Amino acid sequence: MTRCVSGDRSHDFPVEDSVQAYCQEHGVRLVWKSPDPLPELPNPEPATEPAT
């Protein structure tokens, strides 16, 4: 369970599901968001040795 922290006290969020946690007493809502997938990057050209 996720904890709602207020001052020096904490308690479990009264409402928590797979989308959010909500504490009506403190007016706190946490919304779960999965990270965005990384954008596909073009294949870089291989490094080459400088000409001597």
Side-chain angles (χ1 to χ4, degrees):
M1 263 204 128
T2 307
R3 305 285 291 175
C4 177
V5 179
S6 175
D8 60 347
R9 301 177 330 165
S10 71
H11 61 91
D12 290 338
F13 274 94
V15 177
E16 184 173 357
D17 58 26
S18 64
V19 177
Q20 67 179 345
Y22 179 67
C23 175
Q24 184 174 5
E25 178 183 349
H26 299 112
V28 175
R29 180 182 313 266
L30 300 177
V31 178
W32 317 134
K33 180 178 185 259
S34 62
D36 293 331
L38 294 175
E40 289 197 28
L41 300 174
N43 290 335
E45 293 187 22
T48 58
E49 295 287 326
T52 53

